[in-house]
Amino acid sequence: MARDSVGASGLEELYPFLYSGTSDLDAVLTQVRQSTVEKAREIVALRRQVLETDGERLAACARDLAQAFAGGGRLLAFGNGGSSTDAQDLASLFLSPDSPDCNARPLPAFGLTNDIAVITALSNDIGFDVVFSRQVAAFGRRGDIAVGLSTSGNSANLLSAFDEAARRGLVTVGIAGYDGGKMAELRSIDHLFVVPSPSVHRIQEAQTTLYHALWELTLGALDDLEGEQP
């Protein structure tokens, strides 16, 4: 899930109680509990911060997504590494939300990393920077939705995909971390949400909450649209 491989020093920073050299099991368990509580407090505070900063903009984005879906649009989601699995989860959430306690409508969505043959062909024959923009060019239609996720906001293949999506008239949504990176400089992103944290782990946890909230808001906006129809 992290951007880079975590070495021994990285693990020691994340889990200092495993490297303390103590053989006192109770002391280690106490540190584990404290670490867990601290991480939980961090993510709760971060989610609240994102809500306060982006709550109204999330609602506005959801209205644009609802308009797109109501007009026959589809959602294309993409990302790299851990963000790739989040993009697939996002697409699955919109496409197949059914659970024992949820009867939400399915909406057309798919992840651009689902077809490994396409990913490897484009990477091998042209370059990894085009793996998403080429698919947006092939599948994207005016009125569709492009959602790209990144922790750093600097992934070149996301940047080119957003530019391609904007050229083709798609609604574009970016979900980034840190300070937004290069995604924050793009004019081709209609709605950008940034999780302001230096921790990849906290960023991805908050991003998951963010796109779940966006999904729920979109469903509500669709209901409102249908209620306005004569």
Side-chain angles (χ1 to χ4, degrees):
M1 292 185 57
R3 290 177 301 168
D4 303 305
S5 297
V6 179
S9 61
L11 287 174
E12 185 172 355
E13 182 179 345
L14 290 172
Y15 309 108
F17 43 81
L18 297 179
Y19 296 84
S20 62
T22 180
S23 58
D24 186 342
L25 179 58
D26 289 338
V28 171
L29 290 176
T30 296
Q31 293 180 59
V32 171
R33 284 192 291 269
Q34 290 174 343
S35 176
T36 302
V37 170
E38 288 172 4
K39 289 179 173 62
R41 286 174 177 167
E42 286 177 13
I43 187 57
V44 168
L46 186 57
R47 285 166 174 156
R48 286 174 177 164
Q49 182 180 353
V50 171
L51 173 62
E52 292 172 0
T53 303
D54 293 333
E56 292 184 4
R57 295 197 308 109
L58 274 169
C61 179
R63 290 192 291 271
D64 282 354
L65 266 58
Q67 289 279 3
F69 282 122
R74 307 161 302 167
L75 186 150
L76 286 63
F78 45 93
N80 298 295
S83 296
S84 170
T85 60
D86 287 340
Q88 291 172 327
D89 179 51
L90 185 158
S92 296
L93 179 65
F94 277 84
L95 179 62
S96 182
D98 288 340
S99 66
D101 59 347
C102 175
N103 293 315
R105 73 179 77 184
L107 296 168
F110 59 96
L112 296 187
T113 56
N114 287 354
D115 193 335
I116 194 62
V118 170
I119 295 294
T120 54
L122 289 171
S123 298
N124 183 64
D125 298 342
I126 306 173
F128 193 62
D129 287 357
V130 305
V131 294
F132 300 135
S133 60
R134 284 296 183 97
Q135 291 186 80
V136 169
F139 302 130
R141 306 174 303 198
R142 179 171 295 277
D144 282 346
I145 303 158
V147 182
L149 297 94
S150 170
T151 53
S152 69
N154 293 322
S155 300
N157 53 13
L158 265 73
L159 303 179
S160 61
F162 281 125
D163 287 343
E164 184 65 36
R167 281 194 293 269
R168 293 180 175 275
L170 280 71
V171 178
T172 53
V173 182
I175 303 176
Y178 294 92
D179 61 356
K182 293 180 180 179
M183 284 170 59
E185 302 172 6
L186 284 187
R187 294 184 177 181
S188 54
I189 299 180
D190 298 318
H191 303 276
L192 176 65
F193 303 100
V194 178
V195 177
S197 171
S199 167
V200 173
H201 308 83
R202 302 294 86 77
I203 289 170
Q204 290 186 310
E205 289 167 354
Q207 286 181 336
T208 301
T209 302
L210 191 153
Y211 66 70
H212 273 79
L214 184 59
W215 167 68
E216 291 189 24
L217 289 168
T218 300
L219 291 178
L222 269 172
D223 288 341
D224 291 342
L225 276 177
E226 293 176 351
E228 293 172 0
Q229 294 177 356

